């Protein structure tokens, strides 16, 4: 699950009322308007909003963080849906670990949404016990992941009371503890300086059955008259302030008076000319494809572009302000489209592109005979190189050169030629332990236009799955780049066996590579081999939104670029007989995981 240090830090800072949990929404009108352009490039759905590189499609089969799923599930409920989640004990444990690794109190608050969606074991009485142990004699609760400032105590207290209410423990709290907490909350009213803190106090008092002080109940929603002139950061804060106001008004039992029209406009602003990837074509260099990080996920407005926490706050403001369910229909459509079969939620906007994935996209384009020149990709590669996160290891630098050579026609840098000739970078001696690494580095260097030396080879047994996989990688590397002959000790019968009847748990890539190596080593493409390989593809073609990619296999339903490249390359080696019959019709079924 997505759980980077940056996300952890952001979650805790937000919980302490310092700043928004996510990046702010873009300013309306900041993107060029116009109709969406149609694109024939099947890889555009894999362009990352984070950095413009292509991301690995198997990420689409992985749920996002427990925090973001909590916001998504809550937003679906605001939109009138009743989301259900069905998790095994192992996956429930994984969700809990993800949440509690961030915060012992707020993490349990995020688990409430899973409990409400049917995963009762996601939040239990044991969690209520753990939260109750965090109560302090002064009346507040503490969160070990937060500090001990008043705003952080308030944050932890609010989350703790929500957890106790969700587990049915709040009504059974000892009277003296309830009085202590209510008294401490009341003491914070005079020092409250913002609507976020006011909302937390009011909601906490409501949970305890206490009256919201008049000082808070009299608060008004922030104005929206100046919204158009605010910076993105200021707009994000305005949204949080308005959400805080909504909590105050609801808790105090007074009418919620927000500028519903303005907030509804905020939901539907940011119309642009991009599709669900934020791009208009792999060779175009237009305003619509200037930045992949302006993309949305299935919509050209904030309903499709906001991150999940802000989407929830906005939905909550609109619904509390009296907006009809139809207003949130695009939001519900987006979130439902991002749900997996078990009801958990993915977040395509969070996927980070990599040079590795981008290189395989270029290899697939090259294999298909489609254009590889891609100004947008080249720009993303250069920007990634200039960023603090740009890879500076030898493999990363060679991959960058390979991408710029294919996408922009740049010459091979002298530094990359030196790296590819360095035996410590591209192994000068190939063994069973490093054969796969050597094959991959040799492939990358070839794409970068740099030569690699002919390696020495240490023989190994070609009988087990690791030995066969290493031998297949060796044969592929030696024959694909013409750097040597197939060693006589490589057992082609074992390669054939791995292609036709591999060990249990063998992914499709290994099977396709074994078949490729077998043919490169002089094996025959007979009917038995073709039949077995076609059978191997059964049910492994296609994932949601990616109908032509192949899945990892061996129980992994995620689609994979490297696997797809291996299958299509093998089909080319077989003269098109793997994926198409002699009459030209496809032999590989579409698979059962498409929408």
């Amino acid at each position: 699950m997505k759980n980077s240090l940056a996300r952890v830090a952001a979650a805790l800072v937000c919980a302490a009322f310092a700043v928004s949990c996510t990046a702010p929404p873009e300013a309306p009108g900041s993107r060029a308007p116009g109709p969406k352009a149609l694109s024939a490039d099947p890889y555009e759905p894999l362009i990352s909003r984070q950095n413009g590189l292509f991301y690995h499609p198997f990420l689409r089969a992985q749920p996002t963080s427990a925090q973001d799923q909590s916001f998504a599930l809550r937003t679906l409920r605001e939109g009138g849906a009743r989301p259900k989640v069905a998790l095994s004990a192992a996956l429930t444990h994984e969700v809990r670990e993800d949440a509690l690794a961030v915060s012992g109190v707020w993490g349990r608050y995020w688990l409430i949404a899973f409990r409400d969606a049917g995963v009762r074991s996601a939040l239990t009485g044991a969690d209520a016990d753990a939260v109750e142990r965090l109560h302090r004699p002064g009346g507040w609760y503490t969160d070990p992941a937060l500090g001990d400032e008043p705003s952080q105590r308030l944050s932890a207290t609010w989350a703790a009371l929500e957890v106790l209410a969700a587990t049915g423990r709040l009504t059974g709290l000892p009277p003296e503890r309830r009085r202590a907490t209510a008294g401490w909350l009341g003491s914070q009213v005079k020092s409250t300086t913002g609507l976020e803190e006011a909302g937390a106090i009011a909601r906490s008092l409501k949970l305890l059955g206490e009256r919201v002080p008049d000082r808070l109940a009299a608060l008004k929603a922030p104005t929206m008259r100046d919204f158009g002139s605010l910076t993105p950061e200021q707009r994000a804060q305005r949204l949080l302030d308005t959400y805080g106001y909504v909590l105050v008004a609801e808790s105090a039992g007074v009418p919620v008076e927000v500028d519903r029209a303005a907030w509804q406009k905020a939901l539907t602003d940011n119309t642009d000319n991009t599709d669900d990837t934020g791009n208009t074509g792999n060779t175009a260099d237009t305003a619509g494809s200037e930045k992949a990080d302006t993309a949305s996920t299935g919509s050209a407005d904030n309903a499709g572009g906001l991150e999940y926490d802000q989407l929830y706050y906005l939905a909550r403001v609109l619904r509390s302000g009296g907006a009809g369910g139809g207003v949130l229909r695009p939001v519900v459509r987006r979130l439902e489209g991002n749900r997996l079969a078990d009801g958990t939620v993915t977040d395509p906007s969070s996927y980070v592109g990599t040079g590795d994935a981008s290189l395989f996209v270029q290899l697939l384009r090259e294999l298909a005979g489609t254009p590889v020149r891609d100004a947008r990709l080249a720009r993303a590669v250069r920007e990634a190189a200039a960023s603090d996160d740009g890879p500076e290891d030898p493999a990363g630098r060679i991959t960058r050169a390979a991408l710029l050579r294919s996408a922009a026609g740049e010459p091979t840098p002298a530094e990359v030629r030196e790296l590819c000739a360095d035996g410590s970078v591209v192994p000068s001696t190939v063994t069973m332990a490093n054969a796969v690494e050597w094959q991959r580095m040799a492939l990358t260097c070839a794409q970068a236009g740099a030569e690699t030396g002919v390696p020495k080879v240490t023989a190994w047994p070609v009988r087990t799955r690791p030995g066969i996989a290493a031998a297949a990688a060796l044969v592929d590397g030696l024959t694909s780049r013409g750097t040597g002959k197939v060693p006589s000790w490589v057992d082609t019968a074992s390669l054939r066996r791995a292609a036709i009847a591999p060990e249990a748990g063998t992914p499709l890539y290994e099977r396709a590579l074994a078949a490729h190596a077998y043919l490169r080593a002089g094996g025959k493409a007979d009917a038995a081999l073709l039949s077995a390989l076609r059978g191997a593809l059964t049910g492994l073609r296609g994932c949601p939104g990616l109908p032509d990619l192949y899945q990892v296999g061996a129980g992994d339903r995620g689609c994979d670029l490297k696997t797809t490249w291996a299958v299509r390359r093998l089909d080319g080696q077989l003269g098109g007989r793997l994926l198409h019959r002699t009459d030209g019709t496809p032999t590989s079924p579409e698979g059962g995981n498409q929408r």
Side-chain angles (χ1 to χ4, degrees), residues 30-37 44 47 271-281 284-296 376 379:
S30 63
R31 303 188 227 166
K36 291 185 181 181
E44 283 195 356
I47 297 173
T271 300
D272 68 1
N273 67 341
T274 61
D275 62 9
D276 65 346
T277 68
N279 297 278
T280 58
D285 193 3
T286 64
S289 61
E290 191 67 27
K291 284 274 190 180
D293 62 6
T294 63
S296 64
R376 185 210 57 76
R379 184 166 53 250

Side-chain angles (χ1 to χ4, degrees), residues 11 42 116 250 268 272 319 358 536 547:
D116 291 343
E250 289 181 340
T268 56
D272 68 1
R319 289 293 282 161
S358 300

Side-chain angles (χ1 to χ4, degrees), residues 24 41-42 75 133 147 235 256 264 294 303 321 336 340-341 365 369 374 385 409 413 418 456 465 468 496 529 534 571:
D41 185 2
T75 304
R133 288 194 289 271
R235 292 186 182 200
V256 176
Q264 188 168 329
T294 63
E336 289 289 6
L340 299 174
R365 286 171 169 172
D374 188 338
E418 293 174 2
K456 297 178 182 179
R465 177 184 159 191
I468 293 170
R496 177 182 172 86
L529 180 67
R534 287 171 178 169
D571 180 57

Side-chain angles (χ1 to χ4, degrees), residues 537-550:
L537 299 180
T538 300
L540 294 185
R541 183 180 176 185
C543 293
L546 301 167
D548 295 322
L549 298 188
Y550 286 88

Side-chain angles (χ1 to χ4, degrees), residues 214-578:
D214 292 341
R215 177 188 176 113
L216 298 185
L219 293 173
K220 302 298 181 183
T223 180
M224 291 293 285
R225 288 192 297 270
D226 61 344
F227 194 71
S229 63
L230 299 180
T231 66
E233 291 80 6
Q234 290 170 330
R235 292 186 182 200
Q237 187 59 52
R238 183 66 52 85
L239 174 58
L240 287 170
D241 288 341
T242 306
Y243 172 66
Y245 159 77
V246 166
L247 292 178
V248 170
E250 289 181 340
S251 300
V254 300
V256 176
E257 298 178 349
V258 297
D259 192 337
R260 192 175 74 200
W263 283 116
Q264 188 168 329
K265 186 175 183 295
L267 183 69
T268 56
D269 265 341
N270 277 8
T271 300
D272 68 1
N273 67 341
T274 61
D275 62 9
D276 65 346
T277 68
N279 297 278
T280 58
N282 68 304
T283 57
D285 193 3
T286 64
S289 61
E290 191 67 27
K291 284 274 190 180
D293 62 6
T294 63
S296 64
T297 53
S299 176
D301 52 34
N302 276 335
L306 284 178
E307 295 192 25
Y308 287 171
D309 57 347
Q310 291 182 329
L311 200 61
Y312 170 70
Y313 301 142
L314 184 50
R316 192 83 162 74
V317 166
L318 286 169
R319 289 293 282 161
S320 297
V327 171
L328 297 179
R329 193 170 293 121
V331 174
V332 172
R333 185 164 57 244
R334 169 196 173 185
L335 295 177
E336 289 289 6
N338 289 345
R339 297 181 72 198
L340 299 174
D342 59 9
T344 54
V345 187
T346 66
D347 183 9
S349 69
S350 70
Y351 305 149
V352 177
T354 65
D356 179 68
S358 300
L359 182 60
F360 274 103
V361 166
Q362 292 297 82
L363 286 167
L364 283 163
R365 286 171 169 172
E366 183 180 283
L367 198 61
T370 56
V372 294
R373 291 289 188 265
D374 188 338
R376 185 210 57 76
L377 175 59
R379 184 166 53 250
V381 171
R382 296 187 189 103
E383 290 176 355
S387 72
D388 293 337
D389 297 326
E392 288 305 318
D393 61 298
R397 299 205 296 273
I398 297 170
T399 299
R400 183 163 65 230
L403 288 171
L404 292 175
R405 180 172 181 255
S406 64
E410 290 192 4
T412 307
E415 175 207 26
V416 169
R417 294 186 187 278
E418 293 174 2
L419 287 172
C420 289
D422 186 339
S424 66
V425 175
V426 182
S428 56
T429 299
V430 178
T431 65
M432 177 176 161
N434 69 8
V436 172
E437 174 197 356
W438 171 81
Q439 172 221 22
R440 181 57 187 279
M441 290 301 299
L443 171 64
T444 308
C445 284
Q447 291 302 115
E451 294 184 0
T452 54
V454 178
K456 297 178 182 179
V457 179
T458 301
W460 61 83
V462 187
R463 291 188 296 271
T464 63
R465 177 184 159 191
I468 293 170
L474 173 67
V475 172
D476 177 43
L478 291 175
T479 58
S480 294
R481 270 143 291 288
T483 53
K485 297 180 180 180
V486 177
S488 59
W489 55 265
V490 173
D491 183 5
T492 55
S494 292
L495 293 175
R496 177 182 172 86
R497 185 176 67 252
I500 293 178
E503 291 183 22
T506 300
L508 181 57
Y509 172 77
E510 283 187 28
R511 193 167 181 178
L513 185 62
H516 173 78
Y518 168 70
L519 295 172
R520 281 289 180 90
K524 302 300 181 184
D526 55 26
L529 180 67
L530 276 171
S531 176
L533 291 172
R534 287 171 178 169
L537 299 180
T538 300
L540 294 185
R541 183 180 176 185
C543 293
L546 301 167
D548 295 322
L549 298 188
Y550 286 88
Q551 298 169 20
V552 173
D556 190 331
R557 304 293 291 178
C559 276
D560 182 52
L561 293 168
K562 182 174 70 172
T563 300
T564 303
W565 172 73
V567 169
R568 292 183 184 172
R569 184 178 63 158
L570 180 59
D571 180 57
Q573 191 176 9
L574 292 167
R577 290 179 292 162
L578 176 59

Side-chain angles (χ1 to χ4, degrees), residues 18-40:
V19 294
S20 168
C21 283
T22 63
E26 288 188 76
S30 63
R31 303 188 227 166
K36 291 185 181 181
L38 298 177
S39 171

